[in-house]
Protein backbone atom coordinates (compact mmCIF):
# COMPACT_ATOMS: atom_id res chain seq x y z
CA UNK A 1 0.00 0.00 0.00
CA UNK A 2 2.81 2.39 0.92
CA UNK A 3 4.62 1.65 -2.35
CA UNK A 4 1.44 2.35 -4.31
CA UNK A 5 1.01 5.76 -2.63
CA UNK A 6 4.65 6.58 -3.34
CA UNK A 7 4.29 5.61 -7.00
CA UNK A 8 1.10 7.67 -7.33
CA UNK A 9 2.77 10.70 -5.75
CA UNK A 10 5.78 10.34 -8.05
CA UNK A 11 3.59 10.14 -11.15
CA UNK A 12 1.58 13.19 -10.10
CA UNK A 13 4.77 15.13 -9.46
CA UNK A 14 6.21 14.16 -12.82
CA UNK A 15 2.98 15.07 -14.57
CA UNK A 16 2.89 18.46 -12.89
CA UNK A 17 6.57 19.14 -13.67
CA UNK A 18 6.02 18.04 -17.26
CA UNK A 19 3.09 20.41 -17.60
CA UNK A 20 5.20 23.29 -16.35
CA UNK A 21 8.10 22.38 -18.63
CA UNK A 22 5.77 22.18 -21.62
CA UNK A 23 4.59 25.74 -21.08
CA UNK A 24 8.07 27.24 -20.64
CA UNK A 25 9.28 29.02 -23.74
CA UNK A 26 5.77 29.37 -25.11
CA UNK A 27 5.19 32.78 -23.61
CA UNK A 28 2.61 34.83 -25.38
CA UNK A 29 3.81 37.90 -27.20
CA UNK A 30 0.82 39.69 -25.69
CA UNK A 31 1.98 39.24 -22.11
CA UNK A 32 3.61 42.10 -20.26
CA UNK A 33 6.41 41.60 -17.74
CA UNK A 34 7.90 44.02 -15.16
CA UNK A 35 10.66 46.15 -16.62
CA UNK A 36 11.68 48.25 -13.62
CA UNK A 37 10.51 50.73 -11.02
CA UNK A 38 11.13 54.44 -11.50
CA UNK A 39 10.87 57.47 -9.25
CA UNK A 40 8.83 59.58 -11.68
CA UNK A 41 6.37 59.21 -14.53
CA UNK A 42 8.83 61.05 -16.76
CA UNK A 43 11.71 58.63 -16.13
CA UNK A 44 9.40 55.63 -16.58
CA UNK A 45 8.17 57.00 -19.93
CA UNK A 46 11.72 57.80 -20.99
CA UNK A 47 12.85 54.22 -20.24
CA UNK A 48 9.83 52.78 -22.06
CA UNK A 49 10.50 54.84 -25.17
CA UNK A 50 14.23 54.08 -25.10
CA UNK A 51 13.64 50.33 -24.99
CA UNK A 52 11.09 50.60 -27.79
CA UNK A 53 13.58 52.51 -29.96
CA UNK A 54 16.21 49.83 -29.24
CA UNK A 55 13.68 47.13 -30.20
CA UNK A 56 14.01 45.53 -26.76
CA UNK A 57 10.19 45.33 -26.55
CA UNK A 58 7.21 45.94 -28.77
CA UNK A 59 4.98 47.67 -26.22
CA UNK A 60 5.11 49.20 -22.78
CA UNK A 61 3.16 51.17 -20.19
CA UNK A 62 3.79 52.76 -16.81
CA UNK A 63 1.66 51.94 -13.76
CA UNK A 64 1.39 54.37 -10.86
CA UNK A 65 2.15 52.32 -7.75
CA UNK A 66 0.65 54.97 -5.43
CA UNK A 67 3.74 54.47 -3.31
CA UNK A 68 5.53 57.79 -2.81
CA UNK A 69 5.82 58.58 -6.52
CA UNK A 70 6.92 55.16 -7.75
CA UNK A 71 6.07 53.95 -11.24
CA UNK A 72 6.31 50.37 -12.52
CA UNK A 73 7.36 49.92 -16.14
CA UNK A 74 5.64 46.98 -17.81
CA UNK A 75 7.10 45.82 -21.12
CA UNK A 76 5.97 43.48 -23.87
CA UNK A 77 9.16 41.64 -24.91
CA UNK A 78 10.07 40.69 -28.45
CA UNK A 79 10.17 36.88 -28.27
Amino acid sequence: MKMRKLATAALLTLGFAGGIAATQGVASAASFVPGGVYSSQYSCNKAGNAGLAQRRWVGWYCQDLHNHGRYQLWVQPTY
Side-chain angles (χ1 to χ4, degrees):
M1 183 72 163
K2 185 176 183 180
M3 189 64 125
R4 188 175 192 171
K5 285 183 180 179
L6 184 60
T8 302
L11 286 174
L12 286 173
T13 302
L14 287 173
F16 182 70
I20 291 174
T23 60
Q24 297 300 312
V26 188
S28 168
S31 61
F32 284 82
V33 296
V37 176
Y38 296 87
S39 60
S40 71
Q41 179 77 38
Y42 174 78
S43 60
C44 186
N45 289 339
K46 189 173 176 181
N49 284 326
L52 193 64
Q54 296 168 5
R55 298 180 187 252
R56 295 175 65 195
W57 43 75
V58 295
W60 64 271
Y61 69 92
C62 291
Q63 176 187 15
D64 185 355
L65 296 178
H66 303 289
N67 186 2
H68 306 292
R70 300 288 223 178
Y71 294 86
Q72 173 75 54
L73 174 63
W74 290 89
V75 298
Q76 188 177 23
T78 56
Y79 290 107

